Amino acid sequence: MPHVIQGVEPGSIADQLGIAPGDVLHTINDRHPVDLIDYQAFCCEEKLSLVVERAGERRVFRFLKDEYEPLGLTFGQALMSRQRDCANECLFCFVDQLPPGARDTLRVKDDDWRMSLMMGNFVTLTNVSDAELTRIIARRASPLYISVHATDPELRSYLLGTRLGAKLMDQLKRLANAGLTFHAQAVLCPGINDGAALERTVRELAEMRPACLSLALVPVGLTGHREGLSKLRRFTPGEARAVIELAGRRRAAYMAEDGDAFVHPADEFYLIAGLDFPEDAAYGDYPQLENGVGLCRLFEREYREAWQEADFSDVVPAPAARVAIACGTSVAPFLRGILEARPVPGVEVRVYALENGFFGPTITVSGLLTGGDLLRQLKGIEADRLLISQTMLREGGDVFLDDTTLQEIEQALGIEIHAVAGGEGLLHALSHSHPAGRTDCESGRTRPRPVGEEEKAPAQ
């Protein structure tokens, strides 16, 4: 399949060859690249031959380059082909539970192994043919992030709503036998794929170590918009404890074997159960943070280490700064505990646990709160600034899930809002709130500011 070149980086190999935007790439070393994965793999070779078409005339460019030196080409589609859609009808599909008015991009059901490789998205592999799996192996696509949910073929097919779900274990064995690795997740529905079914899932995936690098256990997310959908329910505290205990028995055995806990219940299970999180060492290198595994423990560690390094001894007495923190209802007690144990002198902090009005009150995590939730529940708060989690905003932007912007909410509430990432970021934001001190952005240490000194903007 030919690919139209959209851009050429100035000074790159392609630019030096005279390749220009609008030219069409046909082959690389006599091979037709299917997509970006093929393109990157083919371009890694030192000796290249490109067939490029311009105005109906094909030209051949032959040259030598360093093994991993890029050509400097960009294409109209990020993947050089359309994104692959989901072929499943999952019982617990979150997209099916979106409220009216959710932006269109949230309704896209993608299930593309290439995005798994590049971005860490979880995929089911139900839309991957045997030939495509062979290409995955040939391209050494590893590690992938795979939604397993259950290793029992019949149960997995039921959960995904397709018979194609039954072929997963054969696919995983092919990946493992080829030396590829993957991370796994199981979204758990109480009474369906927990209990004995979960025992089997954990055991059979653990038997695939080291190809299977980790397994995350995630409680099903249910919004308030499930009209006409399957009858599912949330985990009770007792059921959440049962999942943690099951995982705990396995974790102890795996830690004894090779020092890797392997199976990790998501933080939400501990919050539902009312149990303490495992110690920092149990998470290893935190392989599934994006899945909500270990976020709270890492946050606490970052805040504690930054607080221990900060110097509050010379803070000049002054009226306390008032800081409001907005978060989901599930994490609010944990966050209050951190701040009570290690307060920032001269800063009064109040944590607001917000109910999710967009998705419904059963959604309790901070990252799914919207600008509308802030506006409805924080109108009239008395504070000098408001801190929120960076996860509430679109990555790299300032837009909430309900398409309101940070600036719009700031204006409506009449308060300065700061998006915070991580425990160190929280301490930094609190320290900046101090009326008599300023924070060094690099060290995170709070330094006193003599009365009357002009306050300067922190170094960028």
Side-chain angles (χ1 to χ4, degrees), residues 271-303:
L271 294 171
I272 294 171
L275 298 177
D276 292 336
F277 299 105
E279 292 304 312
D280 186 63
Y283 291 104
D285 60 355
Y286 288 87
Q288 297 218 33
L289 276 174
E290 295 298 323
N291 226 345
V293 174
L295 276 173
C296 287
R297 178 55 68 204
L298 182 61
F299 187 97
E300 184 275 334
R301 187 188 80 185
E302 291 176 346
Y303 183 87

PDB file of all heavy atoms in Angstrom, residues 271-303:
ATOM      1  N   LEU A 271      -8.981   0.443  48.525  1.00  0.00           N
ATOM      2  CA  LEU A 271      -9.855   1.507  49.012  1.00  0.00           C
ATOM      3  C   LEU A 271     -11.249   0.967  49.317  1.00  0.00           C
ATOM      4  O   LEU A 271     -11.854   1.336  50.325  1.00  0.00           O
ATOM      5  CB  LEU A 271      -9.933   2.624  47.974  1.00  0.00           C
ATOM      6  CG  LEU A 271      -8.625   3.394  47.734  1.00  0.00           C
ATOM      7  CD1 LEU A 271      -8.759   4.324  46.534  1.00  0.00           C
ATOM      8  CD2 LEU A 271      -8.216   4.177  48.971  1.00  0.00           C
ATOM      9  N   ILE A 272     -11.767   0.088  48.459  1.00  0.00           N
ATOM     10  CA  ILE A 272     -13.076  -0.516  48.711  1.00  0.00           C
ATOM     11  C   ILE A 272     -13.039  -1.371  49.969  1.00  0.00           C
ATOM     12  O   ILE A 272     -13.958  -1.335  50.797  1.00  0.00           O
ATOM     13  CB  ILE A 272     -13.513  -1.373  47.505  1.00  0.00           C
ATOM     14  CG1 ILE A 272     -13.756  -0.493  46.278  1.00  0.00           C
ATOM     15  CG2 ILE A 272     -14.788  -2.160  47.832  1.00  0.00           C
ATOM     16  CD1 ILE A 272     -13.969  -1.283  44.996  1.00  0.00           C
ATOM     17  N   ALA A 273     -11.954  -2.136  50.112  1.00  0.00           N
ATOM     18  CA  ALA A 273     -11.836  -3.055  51.246  1.00  0.00           C
ATOM     19  C   ALA A 273     -11.495  -2.349  52.545  1.00  0.00           C
ATOM     20  O   ALA A 273     -11.657  -2.930  53.625  1.00  0.00           O
ATOM     21  CB  ALA A 273     -10.776  -4.111  50.939  1.00  0.00           C
ATOM     22  N   GLY A 274     -11.006  -1.124  52.470  1.00  0.00           N
ATOM     23  CA  GLY A 274     -10.584  -0.419  53.669  1.00  0.00           C
ATOM     24  C   GLY A 274      -9.291  -0.952  54.242  1.00  0.00           C
ATOM     25  O   GLY A 274      -9.067  -0.908  55.458  1.00  0.00           O
ATOM     26  N   LEU A 275      -8.408  -1.462  53.381  1.00  0.00           N
ATOM     27  CA  LEU A 275      -7.131  -2.038  53.811  1.00  0.00           C
ATOM     28  C   LEU A 275      -5.976  -1.143  53.404  1.00  0.00           C
ATOM     29  O   LEU A 275      -6.079  -0.369  52.444  1.00  0.00           O
ATOM     30  CB  LEU A 275      -6.948  -3.428  53.185  1.00  0.00           C
ATOM     31  CG  LEU A 275      -7.973  -4.497  53.566  1.00  0.00           C
ATOM     32  CD1 LEU A 275      -7.698  -5.788  52.794  1.00  0.00           C
ATOM     33  CD2 LEU A 275      -7.947  -4.753  55.068  1.00  0.00           C
ATOM     34  N   ASP A 276      -4.874  -1.266  54.132  1.00  0.00           N
ATOM     35  CA  ASP A 276      -3.669  -0.509  53.793  1.00  0.00           C
ATOM     36  C   ASP A 276      -3.059  -1.031  52.500  1.00  0.00           C
ATOM     37  O   ASP A 276      -3.160  -2.218  52.183  1.00  0.00           O
ATOM     38  CB  ASP A 276      -2.638  -0.621  54.917  1.00  0.00           C
ATOM     39  CG  ASP A 276      -3.080   0.085  56.189  1.00  0.00           C
ATOM     40  OD1 ASP A 276      -3.917   1.013  56.082  1.00  0.00           O
ATOM     41  OD2 ASP A 276      -2.597  -0.300  57.269  1.00  0.00           O
ATOM     42  N   PHE A 277      -2.394  -0.150  51.790  1.00  0.00           N
ATOM     43  CA  PHE A 277      -1.710  -0.555  50.572  1.00  0.00           C
ATOM     44  C   PHE A 277      -0.445  -1.339  50.910  1.00  0.00           C
ATOM     45  O   PHE A 277       0.143  -1.146  51.974  1.00  0.00           O
ATOM     46  CB  PHE A 277      -1.335   0.668  49.735  1.00  0.00           C
ATOM     47  CG  PHE A 277      -2.512   1.475  49.286  1.00  0.00           C
ATOM     48  CD1 PHE A 277      -2.801   2.686  49.893  1.00  0.00           C
ATOM     49  CD2 PHE A 277      -3.347   1.015  48.284  1.00  0.00           C
ATOM     50  CE1 PHE A 277      -3.890   3.436  49.492  1.00  0.00           C
ATOM     51  CE2 PHE A 277      -4.439   1.759  47.878  1.00  0.00           C
ATOM     52  CZ  PHE A 277      -4.716   2.964  48.483  1.00  0.00           C
ATOM     53  N   PRO A 278       0.002  -2.214  50.017  1.00  0.00           N
ATOM     54  CA  PRO A 278       1.273  -2.900  50.241  1.00  0.00           C
ATOM     55  C   PRO A 278       2.426  -1.904  50.341  1.00  0.00           C
ATOM     56  O   PRO A 278       2.312  -0.755  49.905  1.00  0.00           O
ATOM     57  CB  PRO A 278       1.426  -3.783  48.993  1.00  0.00           C
ATOM     58  CG  PRO A 278       0.043  -3.943  48.465  1.00  0.00           C
ATOM     59  CD  PRO A 278      -0.665  -2.652  48.782  1.00  0.00           C
ATOM     60  N   GLU A 279       3.516  -2.360  50.902  1.00  0.00           N
ATOM     61  CA  GLU A 279       4.692  -1.504  51.000  1.00  0.00           C
ATOM     62  C   GLU A 279       5.279  -1.261  49.612  1.00  0.00           C
ATOM     63  O   GLU A 279       5.023  -1.996  48.658  1.00  0.00           O
ATOM     64  CB  GLU A 279       5.745  -2.136  51.918  1.00  0.00           C
ATOM     65  CG  GLU A 279       5.322  -2.179  53.371  1.00  0.00           C
ATOM     66  CD  GLU A 279       4.966  -0.802  53.920  1.00  0.00           C
ATOM     67  OE1 GLU A 279       5.770   0.137  53.708  1.00  0.00           O
ATOM     68  OE2 GLU A 279       3.909  -0.654  54.544  1.00  0.00           O
ATOM     69  N   ASP A 280       6.092  -0.239  49.515  1.00  0.00           N
ATOM     70  CA  ASP A 280       6.659   0.196  48.249  1.00  0.00           C
ATOM     71  C   ASP A 280       7.361  -0.948  47.510  1.00  0.00           C
ATOM     72  O   ASP A 280       7.218  -1.098  46.297  1.00  0.00           O
ATOM     73  CB  ASP A 280       7.643   1.342  48.526  1.00  0.00           C
ATOM     74  CG  ASP A 280       8.182   1.973  47.264  1.00  0.00           C
ATOM     75  OD1 ASP A 280       7.396   2.543  46.504  1.00  0.00           O
ATOM     76  OD2 ASP A 280       9.398   1.885  47.042  1.00  0.00           O
ATOM     77  N   ALA A 281       8.108  -1.775  48.231  1.00  0.00           N
ATOM     78  CA  ALA A 281       8.896  -2.834  47.598  1.00  0.00           C
ATOM     79  C   ALA A 281       8.030  -3.855  46.875  1.00  0.00           C
ATOM     80  O   ALA A 281       8.487  -4.503  45.920  1.00  0.00           O
ATOM     81  CB  ALA A 281       9.762  -3.535  48.644  1.00  0.00           C
ATOM     82  N   ALA A 282       6.775  -4.026  47.300  1.00  0.00           N
ATOM     83  CA  ALA A 282       5.904  -5.035  46.698  1.00  0.00           C
ATOM     84  C   ALA A 282       5.548  -4.693  45.254  1.00  0.00           C
ATOM     85  O   ALA A 282       5.157  -5.582  44.486  1.00  0.00           O
ATOM     86  CB  ALA A 282       4.627  -5.176  47.522  1.00  0.00           C
ATOM     87  N   TYR A 283       5.688  -3.422  44.867  1.00  0.00           N
ATOM     88  CA  TYR A 283       5.314  -3.018  43.515  1.00  0.00           C
ATOM     89  C   TYR A 283       6.472  -3.100  42.529  1.00  0.00           C
ATOM     90  O   TYR A 283       6.270  -2.835  41.334  1.00  0.00           O
ATOM     91  CB  TYR A 283       4.751  -1.596  43.525  1.00  0.00           C
ATOM     92  CG  TYR A 283       3.410  -1.500  44.221  1.00  0.00           C
ATOM     93  CD1 TYR A 283       3.306  -0.963  45.500  1.00  0.00           C
ATOM     94  CD2 TYR A 283       2.242  -1.947  43.609  1.00  0.00           C
ATOM     95  CE1 TYR A 283       2.076  -0.861  46.146  1.00  0.00           C
ATOM     96  CE2 TYR A 283       1.015  -1.855  44.248  1.00  0.00           C
ATOM     97  CZ  TYR A 283       0.938  -1.312  45.512  1.00  0.00           C
ATOM     98  OH  TYR A 283      -0.285  -1.224  46.151  1.00  0.00           O
ATOM     99  N   GLY A 284       7.664  -3.455  43.008  1.00  0.00           N
ATOM    100  CA  GLY A 284       8.800  -3.560  42.102  1.00  0.00           C
ATOM    101  C   GLY A 284       9.056  -2.244  41.401  1.00  0.00           C
ATOM    102  O   GLY A 284       9.220  -1.196  42.037  1.00  0.00           O
ATOM    103  N   ASP A 285       9.074  -2.281  40.067  1.00  0.00           N
ATOM    104  CA  ASP A 285       9.291  -1.042  39.298  1.00  0.00           C
ATOM    105  C   ASP A 285       7.972  -0.426  38.837  1.00  0.00           C
ATOM    106  O   ASP A 285       7.936   0.313  37.870  1.00  0.00           O
ATOM    107  CB  ASP A 285      10.203  -1.315  38.092  1.00  0.00           C
ATOM    108  CG  ASP A 285       9.613  -2.360  37.143  1.00  0.00           C
ATOM    109  OD1 ASP A 285       8.558  -2.939  37.464  1.00  0.00           O
ATOM    110  OD2 ASP A 285      10.218  -2.592  36.084  1.00  0.00           O
ATOM    111  N   TYR A 286       6.892  -0.723  39.542  1.00  0.00           N
ATOM    112  CA  TYR A 286       5.569  -0.167  39.259  1.00  0.00           C
ATOM    113  C   TYR A 286       5.187  -0.363  37.781  1.00  0.00           C
ATOM    114  O   TYR A 286       5.025   0.590  37.021  1.00  0.00           O
ATOM    115  CB  TYR A 286       5.525   1.321  39.621  1.00  0.00           C
ATOM    116  CG  TYR A 286       5.522   1.582  41.112  1.00  0.00           C
ATOM    117  CD1 TYR A 286       6.711   1.675  41.833  1.00  0.00           C
ATOM    118  CD2 TYR A 286       4.326   1.709  41.803  1.00  0.00           C
ATOM    119  CE1 TYR A 286       6.707   1.906  43.207  1.00  0.00           C
ATOM    120  CE2 TYR A 286       4.302   1.948  43.170  1.00  0.00           C
ATOM    121  CZ  TYR A 286       5.500   2.042  43.866  1.00  0.00           C
ATOM    122  OH  TYR A 286       5.483   2.273  45.214  1.00  0.00           O
ATOM    123  N   PRO A 287       5.012  -1.609  37.361  1.00  0.00           N
ATOM    124  CA  PRO A 287       4.806  -1.880  35.934  1.00  0.00           C
ATOM    125  C   PRO A 287       3.442  -1.475  35.395  1.00  0.00           C
ATOM    126  O   PRO A 287       3.274  -1.379  34.183  1.00  0.00           O
ATOM    127  CB  PRO A 287       4.986  -3.403  35.847  1.00  0.00           C
ATOM    128  CG  PRO A 287       4.575  -3.910  37.190  1.00  0.00           C
ATOM    129  CD  PRO A 287       5.052  -2.855  38.150  1.00  0.00           C
ATOM    130  N   GLN A 288       2.447  -1.241  36.277  1.00  0.00           N
ATOM    131  CA  GLN A 288       1.112  -0.952  35.768  1.00  0.00           C
ATOM    132  C   GLN A 288       0.485   0.266  36.447  1.00  0.00           C
ATOM    133  O   GLN A 288      -0.688   0.263  36.831  1.00  0.00           O
ATOM    134  CB  GLN A 288       0.209  -2.181  35.922  1.00  0.00           C
ATOM    135  CG  GLN A 288       0.676  -3.380  35.113  1.00  0.00           C
ATOM    136  CD  GLN A 288      -0.480  -4.148  34.507  1.00  0.00           C
ATOM    137  OE1 GLN A 288      -1.507  -3.585  34.139  1.00  0.00           O
ATOM    138  NE2 GLN A 288      -0.321  -5.445  34.403  1.00  0.00           N
ATOM    139  N   LEU A 289       1.257   1.329  36.554  1.00  0.00           N
ATOM    140  CA  LEU A 289       0.752   2.562  37.151  1.00  0.00           C
ATOM    141  C   LEU A 289      -0.459   3.100  36.392  1.00  0.00           C
ATOM    142  O   LEU A 289      -1.419   3.589  37.004  1.00  0.00           O
ATOM    143  CB  LEU A 289       1.849   3.631  37.161  1.00  0.00           C
ATOM    144  CG  LEU A 289       2.838   3.614  38.323  1.00  0.00           C
ATOM    145  CD1 LEU A 289       3.913   4.646  38.085  1.00  0.00           C
ATOM    146  CD2 LEU A 289       2.140   3.856  39.648  1.00  0.00           C
ATOM    147  N   GLU A 290      -0.436   3.014  35.058  1.00  0.00           N
ATOM    148  CA  GLU A 290      -1.538   3.544  34.263  1.00  0.00           C
ATOM    149  C   GLU A 290      -2.833   2.806  34.527  1.00  0.00           C
ATOM    150  O   GLU A 290      -3.915   3.290  34.199  1.00  0.00           O
ATOM    151  CB  GLU A 290      -1.184   3.488  32.774  1.00  0.00           C
ATOM    152  CG  GLU A 290      -0.025   4.371  32.363  1.00  0.00           C
ATOM    153  CD  GLU A 290      -0.305   5.846  32.600  1.00  0.00           C
ATOM    154  OE1 GLU A 290      -1.461   6.266  32.397  1.00  0.00           O
ATOM    155  OE2 GLU A 290       0.616   6.575  32.999  1.00  0.00           O
ATOM    156  N   ASN A 291      -2.731   1.619  35.115  1.00  0.00           N
ATOM    157  CA  ASN A 291      -3.908   0.818  35.435  1.00  0.00           C
ATOM    158  C   ASN A 291      -4.371   1.046  36.871  1.00  0.00           C
ATOM    159  O   ASN A 291      -5.213   0.305  37.377  1.00  0.00           O
ATOM    160  CB  ASN A 291      -3.600  -0.668  35.223  1.00  0.00           C
ATOM    161  CG  ASN A 291      -4.688  -1.391  34.466  1.00  0.00           C
ATOM    162  OD1 ASN A 291      -5.800  -0.892  34.318  1.00  0.00           O
ATOM    163  ND2 ASN A 291      -4.393  -2.580  33.988  1.00  0.00           N
ATOM    164  N   GLY A 292      -3.800   2.065  37.516  1.00  0.00           N
ATOM    165  CA  GLY A 292      -4.192   2.345  38.893  1.00  0.00           C
ATOM    166  C   GLY A 292      -3.589   1.397  39.901  1.00  0.00           C
ATOM    167  O   GLY A 292      -4.139   1.202  40.987  1.00  0.00           O
ATOM    168  N   VAL A 293      -2.449   0.804  39.567  1.00  0.00           N
ATOM    169  CA  VAL A 293      -1.776  -0.146  40.447  1.00  0.00           C
ATOM    170  C   VAL A 293      -0.565   0.525  41.090  1.00  0.00           C
ATOM    171  O   VAL A 293       0.426   0.798  40.417  1.00  0.00           O
ATOM    172  CB  VAL A 293      -1.328  -1.406  39.682  1.00  0.00           C
ATOM    173  CG1 VAL A 293      -0.508  -2.322  40.589  1.00  0.00           C
ATOM    174  CG2 VAL A 293      -2.539  -2.154  39.135  1.00  0.00           C
ATOM    175  N   GLY A 294      -0.658   0.847  42.367  1.00  0.00           N
ATOM    176  CA  GLY A 294       0.462   1.436  43.081  1.00  0.00           C
ATOM    177  C   GLY A 294       0.507   2.950  43.042  1.00  0.00           C
ATOM    178  O   GLY A 294       1.432   3.559  43.587  1.00  0.00           O
ATOM    179  N   LEU A 295      -0.489   3.582  42.444  1.00  0.00           N
ATOM    180  CA  LEU A 295      -0.476   5.045  42.356  1.00  0.00           C
ATOM    181  C   LEU A 295      -0.450   5.700  43.732  1.00  0.00           C
ATOM    182  O   LEU A 295       0.299   6.645  43.965  1.00  0.00           O
ATOM    183  CB  LEU A 295      -1.702   5.527  41.585  1.00  0.00           C
ATOM    184  CG  LEU A 295      -1.624   5.541  40.056  1.00  0.00           C
ATOM    185  CD1 LEU A 295      -2.980   5.879  39.469  1.00  0.00           C
ATOM    186  CD2 LEU A 295      -0.583   6.543  39.591  1.00  0.00           C
ATOM    187  N   CYS A 296      -1.266   5.182  44.645  1.00  0.00           N
ATOM    188  CA  CYS A 296      -1.348   5.792  45.978  1.00  0.00           C
ATOM    189  C   CYS A 296      -0.050   5.598  46.752  1.00  0.00           C
ATOM    190  O   CYS A 296       0.439   6.527  47.412  1.00  0.00           O
ATOM    191  CB  CYS A 296      -2.523   5.199  46.755  1.00  0.00           C
ATOM    192  SG  CYS A 296      -4.139   5.754  46.160  1.00  0.00           S
ATOM    193  N   ARG A 297       0.518   4.397  46.691  1.00  0.00           N
ATOM    194  CA  ARG A 297       1.764   4.152  47.422  1.00  0.00           C
ATOM    195  C   ARG A 297       2.888   4.989  46.851  1.00  0.00           C
ATOM    196  O   ARG A 297       3.680   5.578  47.605  1.00  0.00           O
ATOM    197  CB  ARG A 297       2.114   2.654  47.352  1.00  0.00           C
ATOM    198  CG  ARG A 297       3.430   2.303  48.045  1.00  0.00           C
ATOM    199  CD  ARG A 297       3.463   2.757  49.498  1.00  0.00           C
ATOM    200  NE  ARG A 297       2.531   1.996  50.307  1.00  0.00           N
ATOM    201  CZ  ARG A 297       2.009   2.441  51.438  1.00  0.00           C
ATOM    202  NH1 ARG A 297       2.304   3.672  51.868  1.00  0.00           N
ATOM    203  NH2 ARG A 297       1.179   1.694  52.146  1.00  0.00           N
ATOM    204  N   LEU A 298       2.992   5.105  45.547  1.00  0.00           N
ATOM    205  CA  LEU A 298       4.031   5.923  44.944  1.00  0.00           C
ATOM    206  C   LEU A 298       3.818   7.396  45.278  1.00  0.00           C
ATOM    207  O   LEU A 298       4.774   8.124  45.560  1.00  0.00           O
ATOM    208  CB  LEU A 298       4.037   5.727  43.429  1.00  0.00           C
ATOM    209  CG  LEU A 298       5.115   6.486  42.657  1.00  0.00           C
ATOM    210  CD1 LEU A 298       6.511   6.056  43.105  1.00  0.00           C
ATOM    211  CD2 LEU A 298       4.954   6.272  41.155  1.00  0.00           C
ATOM    212  N   PHE A 299       2.571   7.830  45.264  1.00  0.00           N
ATOM    213  CA  PHE A 299       2.246   9.202  45.619  1.00  0.00           C
ATOM    214  C   PHE A 299       2.691   9.499  47.044  1.00  0.00           C
ATOM    215  O   PHE A 299       3.324  10.531  47.313  1.00  0.00           O
ATOM    216  CB  PHE A 299       0.738   9.408  45.474  1.00  0.00           C
ATOM    217  CG  PHE A 299       0.279  10.824  45.648  1.00  0.00           C
ATOM    218  CD1 PHE A 299       0.062  11.639  44.553  1.00  0.00           C
ATOM    219  CD2 PHE A 299       0.047  11.348  46.915  1.00  0.00           C
ATOM    220  CE1 PHE A 299      -0.375  12.952  44.710  1.00  0.00           C
ATOM    221  CE2 PHE A 299      -0.385  12.653  47.085  1.00  0.00           C
ATOM    222  CZ  PHE A 299      -0.590  13.457  45.979  1.00  0.00           C
ATOM    223  N   GLU A 300       2.370   8.594  47.962  1.00  0.00           N
ATOM    224  CA  GLU A 300       2.757   8.780  49.365  1.00  0.00           C
ATOM    225  C   GLU A 300       4.267   8.816  49.509  1.00  0.00           C
ATOM    226  O   GLU A 300       4.808   9.642  50.254  1.00  0.00           O
ATOM    227  CB  GLU A 300       2.163   7.645  50.205  1.00  0.00           C
ATOM    228  CG  GLU A 300       2.411   7.753  51.695  1.00  0.00           C
ATOM    229  CD  GLU A 300       3.755   7.188  52.137  1.00  0.00           C
ATOM    230  OE1 GLU A 300       4.286   6.294  51.431  1.00  0.00           O
ATOM    231  OE2 GLU A 300       4.283   7.638  53.176  1.00  0.00           O
ATOM    232  N   ARG A 301       4.960   7.943  48.801  1.00  0.00           N
ATOM    233  CA  ARG A 301       6.420   7.915  48.901  1.00  0.00           C
ATOM    234  C   ARG A 301       7.022   9.211  48.377  1.00  0.00           C
ATOM    235  O   ARG A 301       7.925   9.796  48.996  1.00  0.00           O
ATOM    236  CB  ARG A 301       6.983   6.735  48.096  1.00  0.00           C
ATOM    237  CG  ARG A 301       8.487   6.542  48.283  1.00  0.00           C
ATOM    238  CD  ARG A 301       9.043   5.497  47.341  1.00  0.00           C
ATOM    239  NE  ARG A 301       9.258   6.038  46.004  1.00  0.00           N
ATOM    240  CZ  ARG A 301       9.658   5.304  44.951  1.00  0.00           C
ATOM    241  NH1 ARG A 301       9.814   3.998  45.079  1.00  0.00           N
ATOM    242  NH2 ARG A 301       9.856   5.869  43.790  1.00  0.00           N
ATOM    243  N   GLU A 302       6.534   9.672  47.230  1.00  0.00           N
ATOM    244  CA  GLU A 302       7.072  10.912  46.656  1.00  0.00           C
ATOM    245  C   GLU A 302       6.834  12.096  47.589  1.00  0.00           C
ATOM    246  O   GLU A 302       7.732  12.931  47.787  1.00  0.00           O
ATOM    247  CB  GLU A 302       6.421  11.176  45.300  1.00  0.00           C
ATOM    248  CG  GLU A 302       6.821  10.208  44.211  1.00  0.00           C
ATOM    249  CD  GLU A 302       6.066  10.451  42.917  1.00  0.00           C
ATOM    250  OE1 GLU A 302       5.049  11.188  42.952  1.00  0.00           O
ATOM    251  OE2 GLU A 302       6.487   9.911  41.885  1.00  0.00           O
ATOM    252  N   TYR A 303       5.638  12.177  48.157  1.00  0.00           N
ATOM    253  CA  TYR A 303       5.326  13.283  49.060  1.00  0.00           C
ATOM    254  C   TYR A 303       6.203  13.200  50.308  1.00  0.00           C
ATOM    255  O   TYR A 303       6.766  14.213  50.755  1.00  0.00           O
ATOM    256  CB  TYR A 303       3.847  13.249  49.449  1.00  0.00           C
ATOM    257  CG  TYR A 303       3.435  14.406  50.335  1.00  0.00           C
ATOM    258  CD1 TYR A 303       3.024  15.610  49.789  1.00  0.00           C
ATOM    259  CD2 TYR A 303       3.468  14.293  51.725  1.00  0.00           C
ATOM    260  CE1 TYR A 303       2.656  16.681  50.595  1.00  0.00           C
ATOM    261  CE2 TYR A 303       3.103  15.355  52.537  1.00  0.00           C
ATOM    262  CZ  TYR A 303       2.694  16.544  51.971  1.00  0.00           C
ATOM    263  OH  TYR A 303       2.340  17.599  52.769  1.00  0.00           O
TER     264      TYR A 303
END
